Structures are given as C-alpha cells and as structure tokens.
Amino acid sequence: MGDSGGRRLDEIAERVGGTVVGDGALEVRGVATLEAAGEHDLAFLTNPKYRAQAERTAAGAVLVDPKTELPGRNLLVSAHPYVALAEILALFHPEAPRRPAVSSDARVAPDAVLGAEVEIGPFAVVENGASVGDRATIGAGCYVGRGARVGEDTVLMPRVVLYAGTRVGARCIVHAGVVLGADGFGFAPTPSGHRKIPQVGRVVIEDDVEIGANSAVDRGTIGDTVVGAGSKIDDLVMVAHGVRLGRDCLLVAQSGIAGSTVVGDRFTIAGQSGVSGHVRIGDDCIVAAKSAVFEDLPDRSFVGGVPAQDHRAWRRVQAVQKRLPDLRNEIRRLGERIAALEARLDEEE
Amino acid sequence: MGDSGGRRLDEIAERVGGTVVGDGALEVRGVATLEAAGEHDLAFLTNPKYRAQAERTAAGAVLVDPKTELPGRNLLVSAHPYVALAEILALFHPEAPRRPAVSSDARVAPDAVLGAEVEIGPFAVVENGASVGDRATIGAGCYVGRGARVGEDTVLMPRVVLYAGTRVGARCIVHAGVVLGADGFGFAPTPSGHRKIPQVGRVVIEDDVEIGANSAVDRGTIGDTVVGAGSKIDDLVMVAHGVRLGRDCLLVAQSGIAGSTVVGDRFTIAGQSGVSGHVRIGDDCIVAAKSAVFEDLPDRSFVGGVPAQDHRAWRRVQAVQKRLPDLRNEIRRLGERIAALEARLDEEE
Amino acid sequence: MGDSGGRRLDEIAERVGGTVVGDGALEVRGVATLEAAGEHDLAFLTNPKYRAQAERTAAGAVLVDPKTELPGRNLLVSAHPYVALAEILALFHPEAPRRPAVSSDARVAPDAVLGAEVEIGPFAVVENGASVGDRATIGAGCYVGRGARVGEDTVLMPRVVLYAGTRVGARCIVHAGVVLGADGFGFAPTPSGHRKIPQVGRVVIEDDVEIGANSAVDRGTIGDTVVGAGSKIDDLVMVAHGVRLGRDCLLVAQSGIAGSTVVGDRFTIAGQSGVSGHVRIGDDCIVAAKSAVFEDLPDRSFVGGVPAQDHRAWRRVQAVQKRLPDLRNEIRRLGERIAALEARLDEEE
C-alpha cells in the first residue's frame, strides 16, 4: 500500500529510534497488515492475539516491541511501537498537498477574517465576524457561523457546522458531519409544556483536538462547553451543554457526557458509556465500555458497570452475576438442608 | 456575558414575577455562572450541589427558589426559577434579527411554495412541491425534499435534510445535521438475502418540537412516524419507523425508540436508553438512563434497568448487585455452617 | 395511501404467489396500517400483538401468513408475508423516476469519471480521480472525495460524505448524513499527549448494502474496513477502523463494532449493542439489544447481556436478578435459622 518508493529497513529504524534484528538492507516499500503484507512490506505486531498471523505472515519485516520474539523474521524493534508506526505511516503516506485557495463557490462574508494560505472548499459558508486562522482548511459544504473562530492549521472536513460564536483552536481536526455549538437540551417545565431556556454560552475547542464523524458538542446554557487541549473524540459522541473536559481526554465511539459535568485531564471513556450530569470526574480516570457513571470520581478511578463501581469489584460482580441461577438453586438447597436439620432436631426433642 | 445594557434587579424581578431579597437597585448587566459571575452579573442556584460555589460567588445577585437561603447576598427569588432564567436570558440575549431573503445561492424549485418573510440560506435546496411557511428559516445547505412542508416560524439550522413528503409543524427548531424521513430499517428475509421493504409512510413533526444535532427520525413503512407537539429531542437520538410519540415528550441524548412503538404524552427517556419495537408506553412515563424497555408500560410508570423494572425496585437490585461477591461468600459460609450442623447431628445419633 | 389505480385482490395474490380467502374481486387501491385502512386498502398482520386491531380493522383485505385465521375477512395468504408486502408496496408506490443529469450547481473535477445516466444533485462535489457508476445518483450536497468510487445503480442521498479512496459497490443506498472513510480512532500515547497514527486504509462497501442516516464507517488504519455484500446498517451506527463485516449482516440502530473486529456472514446485532475490538464473530451470530460482546463468538451464537453470555442463560440471569433483594433477604433468614439450630444444639450438648 506504499505510495512512494522503497526505503531500507535500517534507515527506517534509525528514523524512529528503533533497532533491526535481521536484514537491515531489506527494501521496505510500504506498511501492510500481517495478513495482506508481501515481501517488501513492513507489518506490525503488538497485540499477542495476532501472534499466529505474525508467524505465517509474508511480510518482509515486522515492527514489534522489545518483548516480542519472532525467530527467523526481520524485525524492527521499538520501545514505542505505536509511536514508531505513526512515524512510519507518515513517511510512506505523506499528506496530500494543501490547495490554499478560497473556492469561488464558497460564500465568505465581507467582514470575515481569513488568515494566510487558508483553503475554503466549494459551498462552504463563512458568516459575518468569523475568522479562519493561517493555513486552516474549511472543507466543502462547511458552515462557520457568525463570530466563530477556527485556529491556525486546523482542518474542518466537509459538512462540519460551527454555530455562531464557536471557537476551535489550532491544529484541530474536525471530521465530517460534526456539529459544534448546537443548543443544549435545556427546558423549563411549565403548565403549558416545556419552555426553552435560551442557550447563550459557547463551545470552546482547545488546541490539538480531534473530533470524529457526526459527533456533537452543544453550547453551554450560560458558560462555555470546553474540550481541553489534546483531547480526542471518536464518532457519534455527545458532549452536552456546560461540560468541561480537561486535557488529553479520550472519548470513544458513541459515549456521552451529560450537562455541566466537569472532567479532569487524561480521562478515558470507552465505547457506549456515559457520565451523568453535574458530576465531577478527577484526573486520570477510566470508564470501561457500556458503563454509566452517576457519581463523582476521585483521581485515578477505574470504574465499570451500571451504575459504575470500582473496575475490579465490577469484574467480580460480573463473574457471580453470570451464575445467578446457580446461586438461587444453591440457596434453595440450603433451605432444604436447614429444613431437614430442623425436622431432625424436632424429632429428637 | 450580557449583550445589552444593565437593568435594575427589582425591574428584572418584576418582569419574571419574582421578589428581591437585598438591593433591588443593583444594576445587572448579564447572566453568568456562579464561578464566572462578577458584581454586575446575576448567577443561578437551584441544584444544592452548587451551594458551596454560591457561597463564594462574586455574583451581584443570585436567582434562587423560595427554599434556598443565602444570607448576605442579593437574591432574586422565584417560585419557578428555570422559567425565570429562560425569561431573563431572553432579555439579555435577544435573538439575532432574521434576514428574510432567499439567497441567490439557494435552489428553490419553481413550484415550491414560499411563505412571507422566509429566509433561505446559501446552498439550500427546496424541491418540487415543497412548501415553506411564513417567517420560516431554511439554513445554509439544507435539503427540503419533494412535497415536504415546513411550518411557519420554524427554523431549520444548517445542513438539515428533510426527505420527500416530510412534514414539520410550526415554531419547531431542527438542529444541524438532523435527518427526517430516511427509510426505516425494514427488510424481508429471503433465501438470497435481505429484500428491502419499501418505506412509503412519512415523518410528521408536530408544532413546537425541537430536535437536537445529528438526530434521525425515520419515515414509516406504511403509516407515519409522528413526533407529538411540544416534544423535545436531544442530540444523536433515533426514532424508528412508525413510532408515534405523544405531546411534550423529552428524549435525552443518544436514546432510541424502535419501530412501531406507541408512546403517550409527557414521556421522558433519559440518556442512552431505549425502547424496543411494537410496545405501548402510557402517559407520563419515565425511563432512567442507560435502560431498556422491552414491554408495555402503564401510565405513570417510572422504570430503569435492562430489562427495565420499577425504578425503586431497580435501585434496590443495584444495591444488592454491587455486593454480589459478598453474597456468594455468605452462601458458601452458610453451607459450611449447615455441614457442621449435619456432622454434629450425625455424631450424636 | 396508494399512489396509483386499484388492482383486484386476486391479481395481487397471483403476483406475489399468494392465495385469496374471500372476495378475490375486491378492488385494492393501496396499502395501509390496520388502524388507518379503509375498504379499498390492504392491511397487514403477522405480529400477533396486533390481532385485536386486525379484528376491528376497516381494511378491505388483510395480508397474513398461513397460520393466521381471521374469520369473515378477505385475506391474502402468503407463506412469506414480508416478501409479499415488499412486492405489493413496490407495486403501489413505484419509485420516483430518476432525473439523470449533472446539476450545473454541482462541482465535478475534470478528471472524475462519470458513467451513463448518472444524476448529480446541486452543490454536490466530486473530486479528482473519483468515479461514479452508470445510473448512480449523487444527492444534493454530497461530497465524493479524491479517488472514491460509487458503483452502478447506487444512490447517495443528500449530504453523504465519502472520504478520499472510499469504495461503494453497486445497488447500494446510503442515507443522508452518512460519513464513510473518516479517520479511525488511533493514537499512540506519548509523554506529550496522544500522537495521531495516520489512518491510511480505506472503506470498502460491497454491493447491495444499505446504510442508515448519520451512521459512520471509519477507514482502516492500514488495511481496509469492509462491509460485506447485502449487509444493512441502520441509523447512527458506528463501524470502526479495520472492522470486516461478512455478507448479509444486520446492524440495528445505535449499535457499534469496535476496531479490527472480524465478523462472519449473516450477523445480527440489535439496537444499542456493541462488539469490542479485536474479536472474531462467527457466522449466523445474533446479539440481543443493549448488550456488549467482549469475546470471540463461535458460529450460530445467540448472546445477550453485559458482558454477553448465551441468550437463554442470560434470560434466566435476568429473571433472578430482578429478585435480588428477595434473594438477599432469604439468605439472611437462612442465616437466622442456622443460628437458631446452632443455639439449640449448643444447649443440648
């Protein structure tokens, strides 16, 4: 799958700070999966699940961590194989060159401010008072609302919508279909139905954030909804009004954070999990998949379940839970044995 | 954060039917969170979780309900603080003026019917036979399919898609990325695979409905999918084919209602919960977060869990469930005690 | 709801290989729900839940399977009523005629390849090196990235985004808001934060696939993400990077498959369920709603729960689980009875 010419394995190893076991002169022309790789491909093994595949791969070389042995194979050994993989992929798949230009089919308001070398695709709309930083890309069909700001080197893929006032930092990647700044879900109950509470806060996405396809971050009711620098959000994730996420958080697919919840740095929430509103999550917390957090979490919590509890305790609960019918039967038998004992004692007396 | 000039606290109180405790002459220039508020801001306290913040806020005044005491502070006391908040926010943040006009970059079919003072944004498409009511807004890049109808004063934010025949009532707000009227998920099993069942019903959104970013309501297979008047739908919610929702329902983020289910009025379903297909939900029912309803629910049910059961019972189940390993150990110990008793009796005899 | 003239019931029966019980000469003008049907409508009953409705329907005739009896009614009996329904709906609701043409408001790159009779809507973008097969439809506002391929007779509804290199087979239907080929969620941990791993694989959608509104399929990190021929995906579904789905799979609303998981043919996953990454699912597996699969599944597995276990066992677990507080009380009582026995024995000795 390499797009460019070959490179020697030892040259690649040097670039990524790794070492070669085997033939450093091997010409590597690309990176491929263990299954698909050929003699000039570098493949990749860190998850032991794929060891059998690695043993029979046709790959010319395999990128591994120092603990992995694959006798008879050319290895590129790296203490940080994922980082090495990132570098090697960038080497073989350089980004498509930017085409800095404003499409004549884009509609940019006269008082919008465009930085140097911006790219604005066809059918994009940039409204009054919006600003687009240097070298930023506004994909085809994007909508950048009144007063919204897009930071330098940020990429909005096609069909992203930024509501008025939304701020996106520098070097962010926002994938197609993402909506930033829609109204939060806030209504006051009245005898005649739900009355809308105006949502006048903003969405602030800090630097180096990536947001996956069709995710949504709602504007705050009064204050801002904030996604901290370096955080990465997967597809179809929902971040509600007034949430504040710390730095370097990871929100996996289809997870959600409810309104006004405050989350520390380096939070990881696995797929299809949620955190309820108005709770505080400390730093370095992890929520397992398919779980729901309803209470505050101290730093370094690792939780799972509905409601979430300590992860190890939850694993033990799950083990017992699977056997609940056995447990019920055991209780029944204990009852019978007790009844038998009671009868024996009654007889004796 | 106020956009306009200041107003006296007692003047605001009068507007919202509240009373002032403290300095009615205080000049309020805007609404802010307890944390961010300054001396000319009104902040807001109803959730007791934020009491400590309220005690140290720099806000000039705090909006509270009659039960809340905050000695030494200027208070705006309201029996309905959320309604008051809605009114006060509208006061300080008047909506941006509409720009009634049809963009020269919109494509409106010759036989589409446009009401008075409509606004149609650039790159919007309005197809044959569609109609747009008076003062309705069709955002940039929206698609209004053949024969679709948009009611008066309704706002479609950018990039909303209405499939052919979809009807949206008056005074609705449909957020960016929403898709109304896509085909329901209906297939007939055949020996050669899944055969598509044409989906020929419509989506009917009644008046005063709000639908959050990237949510989807599918058209009915034969009859219509209906969202009742006054209902509010959050982001990333899925309403399947043939569902009928009553009035004033609240569907929180990432929840879903499966096909043909009929729901009464004032239904509330919390985040990441679901209702299966072909069930009937009465009026005034509530489903807790992360739950799944598989059976009919009578009026005024409050349920939670998977499968959902009475909410109080479910809370008790959860309490026991967390301690399942202890329970299993207790059962083991009871068994040992019984065995000891049995041995003692055997010895005696 | 019929769009065209009437047809005799016996003529319809002949077309779909069914038989008539009752008046074959009845003129049927359309298909309607049991509730809405009138004397010239055909309604539909297979789910026994709707039997009461069928008994009081005003429908002129009812489509049923051979096991269903409805004395006194005109019946169209079919061994495969869903297939018959599909055919009858197609009969009464022929598809709107295509309008093969490239809108002057679409932007098609000079070196894109367009087949015969393609339809490309306004504000669609087709980038360099992309190709669109014969009779394919690219809806308004779609984005077809560099080198992407759309197969013949495939329909992209409005606002679909295909990232560069994405391949969509023949006869597919991709609903509005779908994003195919966004970057997978792959980051390498580094001391300075999450480093993006370039995602250089593709998305390959095989023939006859349907994908529901606002769903997302991410491109592979290195290899491809594949959706097998004949598979049907509902709304708001997430298929992560490197997943390979077999043929004729059904992914119901809001479900998700995590990265690198390999799934066999005819997989069915119900609503709001998930499969974790790097697992292998055999052929003909079923996952119940609201469940999560964390381990490999052999062919023909039917599982449910979190974590998923055999479906029947899970149903038994659920039954016990609902009564957990009773169980705990029973254990307490058993303990008391044991204590009483112990006391009696102690006294005796």
Side-chain angles (χ1 to χ4, degrees):
Chain A
M1 299 189 75
D3 292 348
S4 54
R7 291 162 188 271
R8 284 172 58 109
L9 181 59
D10 49 14
E11 180 206 333
I12 298 171
E14 200 187 330
R15 267 213 185 223
V16 302
T19 55
V20 171
V21 173
D23 179 15
L26 177 82
E27 187 193 354
V28 176
R29 296 186 191 148
V31 181
T33 60
L34 289 164
E35 274 186 322
E39 58 179 330
H40 288 288
D41 287 320
L42 177 70
F44 171 73
L45 173 69
T46 52
N47 188 329
K49 277 201 167 185
Y50 297 106
R51 178 160 190 98
Q53 274 184 34
E55 281 167 3
R56 59 171 193 266
T57 182
V62 182
L63 170 62
V64 296
D65 60 29
K67 287 174 297 188
T68 306
E69 292 183 16
L70 272 175
R73 298 228 162 250
N74 298 315
L75 301 181
L76 196 174
V77 184
S78 165
H80 306 288
Y82 282 102
V83 178
L85 180 65
E87 293 179 17
I88 296 166
L89 284 171
L91 197 66
F92 284 100
H93 299 269
E95 283 178 37
R98 300 186 64 250
R99 299 168 295 184
V102 176
S103 167
S104 59
D105 292 313
R107 291 296 165 266
V108 179
D111 72 347
V113 178
L114 303 188
E117 296 179 54
V118 301
E119 175 183 336
I120 301 189
F123 314 128
V125 175
V126 180
E127 296 276 20
N128 285 329
S131 70
V132 179
D134 296 347
R135 298 169 308 280
T137 301
I138 309 296
C142 284
Y143 179 83
V144 179
R146 274 179 306 110
R149 290 195 196 169
V150 176
E152 54 189 37
D153 299 298
T154 279
V155 177
L156 306 189
M157 301 300 294
R159 316 272 173 246
V160 167
V161 173
L162 308 189
Y163 276 57
T166 297
R167 306 203 165 192
V168 179
R171 297 172 304 280
C172 292
I173 301 172
V174 184
H175 284 284
V178 167
V179 177
L180 302 179
D183 286 350
F185 197 64
F187 301 92
T190 78
S192 57
H194 307 295
R195 170 156 182 180
K196 182 176 178 68
I197 298 174
Q199 304 287 308
V200 307
R202 299 173 308 177
V203 164
V204 176
I205 308 292
E206 296 182 352
D207 298 340
D208 301 298
V209 168
E210 182 163 347
I211 304 181
N214 285 341
S215 286
V217 181
D218 282 358
R219 67 195 314 114
T221 304
I222 301 175
D224 295 335
T225 307
V226 179
V227 176
S231 292
K232 312 296 181 184
I233 297 179
D234 203 349
D235 299 2
L236 293 168
V237 169
M238 160 68 178
V239 178
H241 52 168
V243 166
R244 275 179 286 154
L245 282 172
R247 297 175 64 93
D248 295 320
C249 295
L250 293 173
L251 277 56
V252 181
Q254 295 173 318
S255 61
I257 316 284
S260 301
T261 282
V262 178
V263 176
D265 295 337
R266 295 169 302 281
F267 178 56
T268 298
I269 181 166
Q272 300 188 338
S273 287
V275 181
S276 70
H278 299 283
V279 303
R280 281 191 170 261
I281 308 293
D283 290 335
D284 299 292
C285 290
I286 300 173
V287 179
K290 209 81 187 175
S291 299
V293 177
F294 294 98
E295 291 178 357
D296 293 1
L297 293 181
D299 292 350
R300 287 175 298 285
S301 299
F302 180 10
V303 300
V306 181
Q309 66 184 125
D310 172 74
H311 188 257
R312 275 197 216 166
W314 177 54
R315 301 283 273 181
R316 284 193 295 264
V317 167
Q318 288 183 322
V320 180
Q321 191 172 296
K322 276 193 163 185
R323 294 179 40 248
L324 268 182
D326 297 341
L327 227 59
R328 185 205 43 199
N329 293 339
E330 206 171 321
I331 292 168
R332 196 173 293 157
R333 280 193 301 270
L334 293 183
E336 290 163 4
R337 286 167 67 190
I338 293 171
L341 285 168
E342 290 167 339
R344 282 168 72 178
L345 270 182
D346 289 350
E347 263 173 47
E348 283 184 19
E349 285 166 13
Chain B
M1 299 188 74
D3 291 348
S4 54
R7 291 160 187 272
R8 284 171 58 107
L9 182 59
D10 50 13
E11 179 204 335
I12 297 170
E14 199 186 329
R15 265 211 187 224
V16 304
T19 55
V20 171
V21 174
D23 178 14
L26 177 82
E27 187 193 354
V28 177
R29 296 187 189 148
V31 182
T33 60
L34 289 164
E35 275 186 322
E39 58 179 329
H40 288 288
D41 287 318
L42 177 70
F44 171 71
L45 172 70
T46 52
N47 188 330
K49 277 200 167 186
Y50 298 106
R51 182 164 184 94
Q53 275 183 34
E55 282 167 4
R56 61 172 189 265
T57 184
V62 183
L63 170 62
V64 296
D65 61 29
K67 287 174 297 188
T68 306
E69 291 184 15
L70 272 175
R73 298 226 163 252
N74 298 316
L75 302 181
L76 196 173
V77 183
S78 165
H80 306 288
Y82 283 100
V83 177
L85 180 66
E87 292 178 18
I88 296 166
L89 284 170
L91 198 66
F92 283 99
H93 300 268
E95 283 179 38
R98 299 187 65 247
R99 299 169 295 185
V102 177
S103 167
S104 60
D105 292 313
R107 292 295 165 266
V108 179
D111 71 347
V113 178
L114 303 188
E117 296 179 55
V118 301
E119 175 182 336
I120 302 189
F123 315 127
V125 175
V126 181
E127 296 276 21
N128 285 328
S131 71
V132 179
D134 295 348
R135 297 170 307 281
T137 301
I138 309 296
C142 283
Y143 179 83
V144 179
R146 275 179 304 110
R149 290 196 198 168
V150 177
E152 54 189 38
D153 298 298
T154 279
V155 177
L156 307 189
M157 301 300 294
R159 316 274 173 245
V160 167
V161 172
L162 307 189
Y163 276 58
T166 297
R167 306 204 165 191
V168 179
R171 296 172 305 280
C172 293
I173 302 172
V174 184
H175 285 284
V178 167
V179 177
L180 303 179
D183 286 349
F185 197 62
F187 302 93
T190 79
S192 58
H194 307 294
R195 171 157 181 180
K196 182 177 178 67
I197 298 175
Q199 304 288 306
V200 306
R202 298 174 307 177
V203 163
V204 176
I205 308 293
E206 296 182 352
D207 297 341
D208 300 298
V209 169
E210 182 162 347
I211 305 181
N214 285 340
S215 285
V217 181
D218 282 358
R219 67 196 313 114
T221 306
I222 300 176
D224 295 336
T225 307
V226 179
V227 176
S231 293
K232 312 297 181 184
I233 297 179
D234 203 349
D235 299 1
L236 293 168
V237 169
M238 160 67 178
V239 178
H241 52 168
V243 165
R244 274 179 286 154
L245 283 173
R247 296 176 65 93
D248 294 319
C249 295
L250 294 174
L251 277 58
V252 181
Q254 297 174 318
S255 61
I257 315 284
S260 301
T261 282
V262 178
V263 177
D265 295 339
R266 295 170 302 280
F267 178 57
T268 298
I269 181 166
Q272 301 189 338
S273 287
V275 181
S276 69
H278 298 282
V279 304
R280 280 192 171 262
I281 308 293
D283 290 336
D284 299 292
C285 290
I286 301 173
V287 178
K290 209 78 185 178
S291 299
V293 177
F294 295 98
E295 291 178 357
D296 292 1
L297 293 181
D299 291 352
R300 286 175 299 284
S301 299
F302 180 11
V303 300
V306 181
Q309 65 186 125
D310 172 74
H311 188 258
R312 275 197 216 167
W314 177 56
R315 301 283 272 181
R316 285 193 295 262
V317 167
Q318 288 184 321
V320 181
Q321 191 173 295
K322 277 193 163 184
R323 294 181 39 248
L324 267 183
D326 296 341
L327 226 59
R328 184 205 44 199
N329 293 339
E330 206 171 321
I331 291 168
R332 196 173 292 156
R333 281 192 301 271
L334 293 184
E336 289 163 4
R337 286 166 67 190
I338 292 172
L341 286 167
E342 288 166 340
R344 282 169 73 178
L345 269 182
D346 289 348
E347 262 172 47
E348 284 184 16
E349 286 167 13
Chain C
M1 300 188 74
D3 292 348
S4 53
R7 292 162 187 271
R8 284 171 58 108
L9 181 60
D10 49 13
E11 180 205 334
I12 297 171
E14 199 185 330
R15 265 212 189 224
V16 303
T19 54
V20 171
V21 173
D23 179 14
L26 177 83
E27 187 193 353
V28 177
R29 296 186 191 149
V31 181
T33 60
L34 289 164
E35 275 186 323
E39 57 178 331
H40 287 288
D41 287 318
L42 176 70
F44 171 73
L45 173 70
T46 52
N47 188 331
K49 279 199 168 186
Y50 297 107
R51 181 164 187 97
Q53 274 184 34
E55 282 167 5
R56 59 172 191 265
T57 184
V62 182
L63 170 61
V64 297
D65 62 28
K67 287 175 295 187
T68 306
E69 291 183 15
L70 272 175
R73 297 227 163 252
N74 298 316
L75 301 181
L76 196 173
V77 184
S78 165
H80 306 289
Y82 283 101
V83 177
L85 179 66
E87 293 178 17
I88 296 166
L89 283 170
L91 197 66
F92 283 100
H93 299 269
E95 283 179 37
R98 301 186 63 248
R99 299 168 293 185
V102 176
S103 166
S104 59
D105 292 313
R107 291 297 165 264
V108 179
D111 72 346
V113 178
L114 303 188
E117 296 179 53
V118 301
E119 176 182 336
I120 302 190
F123 314 127
V125 175
V126 181
E127 296 276 20
N128 285 327
S131 72
V132 180
D134 296 347
R135 296 170 307 280
T137 301
I138 308 296
C142 283
Y143 179 84
V144 178
R146 273 179 306 110
R149 290 195 196 169
V150 177
E152 54 188 39
D153 298 299
T154 279
V155 177
L156 306 189
M157 300 301 293
R159 315 276 173 242
V160 167
V161 173
L162 309 189
Y163 276 58
T166 296
R167 305 202 166 192
V168 179
R171 296 173 305 280
C172 292
I173 301 172
V174 184
H175 284 284
V178 167
V179 177
L180 303 179
D183 286 351
F185 197 64
F187 302 93
T190 78
S192 58
H194 307 294
R195 172 157 181 179
K196 182 177 178 65
I197 298 174
Q199 304 287 307
V200 306
R202 298 173 308 178
V203 164
V204 176
I205 308 293
E206 295 183 352
D207 298 340
D208 300 299
V209 168
E210 183 162 346
I211 304 181
N214 284 341
S215 287
V217 181
D218 282 358
R219 66 195 315 115
T221 305
I222 300 175
D224 294 336
T225 307
V226 179
V227 176
S231 293
K232 312 296 181 186
I233 297 179
D234 204 347
D235 298 2
L236 292 169
V237 170
M238 160 68 179
V239 178
H241 52 168
V243 165
R244 276 180 285 154
L245 282 172
R247 297 175 65 92
D248 294 319
C249 295
L250 293 174
L251 277 58
V252 181
Q254 297 174 317
S255 62
I257 316 284
S260 302
T261 282
V262 178
V263 176
D265 296 337
R266 294 169 303 280
F267 178 56
T268 298
I269 181 165
Q272 300 188 338
S273 288
V275 181
S276 69
H278 299 282
V279 304
R280 281 191 170 261
I281 308 293
D283 291 335
D284 298 292
C285 290
I286 300 173
V287 178
K290 210 78 187 178
S291 300
V293 177
F294 294 98
E295 291 178 357
D296 294 0
L297 293 181
D299 293 351
R300 286 175 298 285
S301 300
F302 180 10
V303 300
V306 181
Q309 66 184 124
D310 172 75
H311 188 258
R312 274 196 218 167
W314 178 54
R315 301 283 272 183
R316 284 193 295 263
V317 166
Q318 288 184 322
V320 181
Q321 192 172 295
K322 278 193 163 184
R323 295 180 39 245
L324 269 182
D326 296 341
L327 227 60
R328 184 204 44 200
N329 293 339
E330 206 171 322
I331 291 167
R332 198 174 291 156
R333 283 192 300 271
L334 292 184
E336 290 163 4
R337 286 166 67 189
I338 292 171
L341 285 168
E342 289 167 339
R344 283 168 71 178
L345 269 182
D346 288 349
E347 262 172 47
E348 283 185 16
E349 285 167 13

